[in-house]
Amino acid sequence: ERRLKQVEKDIVAAETRIAELTVALQDPALQGDFAKLQATSQALGAQQDALHRLEAEWQGLAEALA
């Protein structure tokens, strides 16, 4: 149950970071800087992957507690 609560917090943090990175990618200033654009895109992909892993873990934990 403790891990489930931590995973829920981690999911919220990942969703927040994904939203921030998505907004950053829409910034016209970033469009002119390929290195920053690429780094931000990679960070977004990593956060999306982490979110998927966390959601899968949450589902497994929730089923185990049910």
Side-chain angles (χ1 to χ4, degrees):
E1 202 170 313
R2 179 187 225 179
R3 178 65 186 150
L4 182 67
K5 297 235 183 260
Q6 182 59 51
V7 170
E8 288 172 346
K9 289 179 184 178
D10 292 345
I11 286 172
V12 170
E15 289 172 336
T16 299
R17 187 67 181 134
I18 287 168
E20 292 169 351
L21 291 166
T22 300
V23 168
L25 283 173
Q26 296 170 1
D27 183 352
L30 189 66
Q31 301 300 319
D33 187 336
F34 179 74
K36 286 184 181 178
L37 180 63
Q38 186 177 26
T40 304
S41 293
Q42 289 174 345
L44 177 59
Q47 282 297 309
Q48 289 170 331
D49 290 345
L51 178 60
H52 291 133
R53 285 191 304 274
L54 287 164
E55 288 172 335
E57 182 180 357
W58 179 88
Q59 185 174 6
L61 290 168
E63 289 172 1
L65 290 173

